[in-house]
Amino acid sequence: MHCDRLWKNARLATMTGQGLGLVDKGLIAARGGDIVYAGPEAEAPAFTAPEVVDCDGRWITPGLVDCHTHIVHGGNRAHEFELRLAGATYEELARAGGGIVSTMKATRAASEDELLAQALPRVDALIAEGVTTLEVKSGYGLERVAEMKSLKAARRLGEVRPLSVTTTFLGAHALPPEAAGDKDAYIDLVCRDMLPAVAAAGLADSVDAFCEAIGFTPEQVARVFETAKGLGLPVKLHAEQLSNLHGAALAARFGAQSADHLEYIDEAGAAALAASGTVAVLLPGAFYFVRETHKPPVDLLRRHGVPLAIASDSNPGSSPLTSLLLAMNMAATLFRLTVDECLAGVTREAARALGRLDRIGTLEAGKSCDLAIWDVERPAELVYRMGFNPLHQRVWRGTIRT
Ligand code: DI6
Ligand code: FE
């Protein structure tokens, strides 16, 4: 059988099934950007290809998927970090007009080109560690034009860099100052003005909201979700990060793709996520950086069979993190996830959280040939090291793009 490119003499973590799906002497064949074979060399059809890559026994995983980021934004919040080091808390800074609103100002002031240029070095850091699919949320514009500008910049990341980008409209992220404290009126604007315009322009693949005392109530979030559903857009939710407002159950009621953070989720919330097949996205970078102490109840989520993903939450306020390798290490050290759970969390389960498991997240014939090839002896090394990048080669849609 003819194909475009072959990777042979590799060890594969296909991530199919429940565990890592290990193949000791594996081969991957790509044609037209898709995988046509991934499995044991001994069982492969006889392939011919103009290019054959000898992997010398290196490990291949699916290209990594960062399924929750706010990577497009103006400016940074290093100064707020200094204030936090002097004793202020994240919530105090938010209530004092800093926090998300300070990034909103910088985002509104930046042009689309500037937002793109500022995001690129952060995206490049993720790419350098094998990321091939990136989710990007809006939510720092907080009015129609700036939200659409952010989403356009996000889409362009996927045009100027070799990676797949999915976009999420997060208009209900925080209250802009001009709303003068009226959250219901702002939610009206999200539902009647912003969301229809974003959907009509095809700028969002899904819709998210921040369900929290410093964000929006479950009732307000439900209005956003009803509007999203009416426009045919799937939903996801920032839930139970700082308190338990039963956002996970709300997300499940709307068949959400994912519920994210979940430090304060309870048993009913976990059962609801399991029943709706909603992925729990854990964000250890935010937990670490905000110095939270209440850990997500991983055992409870496991007991209910909730799928677990891990993401960077890359954002200027609560998680200035641009490393999925470090996110995995934190998920293991802080939340006690196993190596298998960590690797599934940034591949298969992250793909599921984006509704893209049909195309990415595992090494299987018929999926996009997105690969990360690693200079490691065993997959556990990808979780174990801190601040070390063993990526050997990255492949996006069948082409070597390190
Ligand atoms: N939760 C978070 O952790 C980020 N957004 C959210 O809803 C924080 C965003 C920021 O502080 O800029
Ligand atoms: Fe977030």
Side-chain angles (χ1 to χ4, degrees), residues 8-330:
K8 62 167 202 175
N9 195 13
R11 290 182 277 181
L12 310 182
T14 64
M15 307 311 297
T16 51
Q18 279 305 305
L20 298 183
L22 301 181
V23 176
D24 201 35
K25 204 164 173 19
L27 176 136
I28 294 177
R31 192 176 56 216
D34 283 354
I35 296 173
V36 290
Y37 179 85
E41 269 183 24
E43 294 166 26
F47 283 108
T48 55
E51 191 179 344
V52 179
V53 180
D54 186 337
C55 293
D56 286 324
R58 291 187 182 87
W59 279 94
I60 304 184
T61 66
L64 305 189
V65 178
D66 196 346
C67 67
H68 178 144
T69 86
H70 311 248
I71 210 160
V72 169
H73 57 80
N76 69 66
R77 305 235 290 277
H79 180 55
E80 282 186 17
F81 181 56
E82 288 181 287
L83 295 175
R84 279 182 41 216
L85 290 173
T89 69
Y90 180 72
E91 279 171 294
E92 278 164 11
L93 289 166
R95 289 186 195 283
I100 292 173
V101 169
S102 71
T103 299
M104 177 208 78
K105 290 182 188 144
T107 302
R108 286 183 181 178
S111 68
E112 185 187 313
D113 285 348
E114 285 164 350
L115 289 178
L116 177 69
Q118 290 185 36
L120 278 174
R122 300 188 281 268
V123 172
D124 286 340
L126 291 171
I127 287 175
E129 290 187 351
V131 168
T132 49
T133 299
L134 174 68
E135 187 260 13
V136 183
K137 301 176 196 298
S138 67
Y140 291 117
L142 306 180
E143 54 90 17
R144 176 164 39 85
V145 173
E147 285 289 296
M148 291 177 77
K149 175 178 69 180
S150 302
L151 291 167
K152 286 179 196 158
R155 285 262 194 254
R156 280 173 63 196
L157 288 168
E159 292 162 14
V160 302
R161 287 295 185 271
L163 90 166
S164 306
V165 171
T166 75
T167 58
T168 301
F169 172 68
L170 177 57
H173 190 201
L175 197 64
E178 66 271 14
D182 192 342
K183 290 190 180 179
D184 282 318
Y186 179 70
I187 292 295
D188 269 350
L189 204 63
V190 168
C191 294
R192 295 200 190 144
D193 175 53
M194 296 189 214
L195 193 37
V198 164
L203 283 172
D205 302 306
S206 65
V207 173
D208 195 349
F210 186 32
C211 188
E212 200 65 59
I214 58 168
F216 297 93
T217 65
E219 293 71 29
Q220 289 160 345
V221 170
R223 291 180 51 208
V224 176
F225 282 4
E226 266 150 27
T227 308
K229 286 273 148 173
L231 293 165
L233 290 170
V235 300
K236 36 182 70 239
L237 188 64
H238 283 71
E240 272 80 283
Q241 179 186 6
L242 308 168
S243 64
N244 182 7
L245 298 186
H246 308 289
L250 169 72
R253 187 150 61 76
F254 281 87
Q257 293 176 329
S258 69
D260 304 41
H261 286 288
L262 301 177
E263 277 77 353
Y264 287 85
I265 193 173
D266 59 17
E267 176 122 34
L273 293 185
S276 63
T278 299
V279 178
V281 178
L282 304 180
L283 304 168
F287 176 89
Y288 165 84
F289 193 75
V290 181
R291 303 181 72 223
E292 289 175 47
T293 50
H294 199 291
K295 296 184 188 194
V298 168
D299 275 337
L300 180 71
L301 295 166
R302 282 188 187 121
R303 200 155 17 87
H304 284 273
V306 180
L308 301 177
I310 301 165
S312 71
D313 196 15
S314 185
N315 78 69
S318 67
S319 187
L321 173 65
T322 49
S323 169
L324 273 187
L325 292 175
L326 188 52
M328 280 197 283
N329 178 271
M330 289 178 177

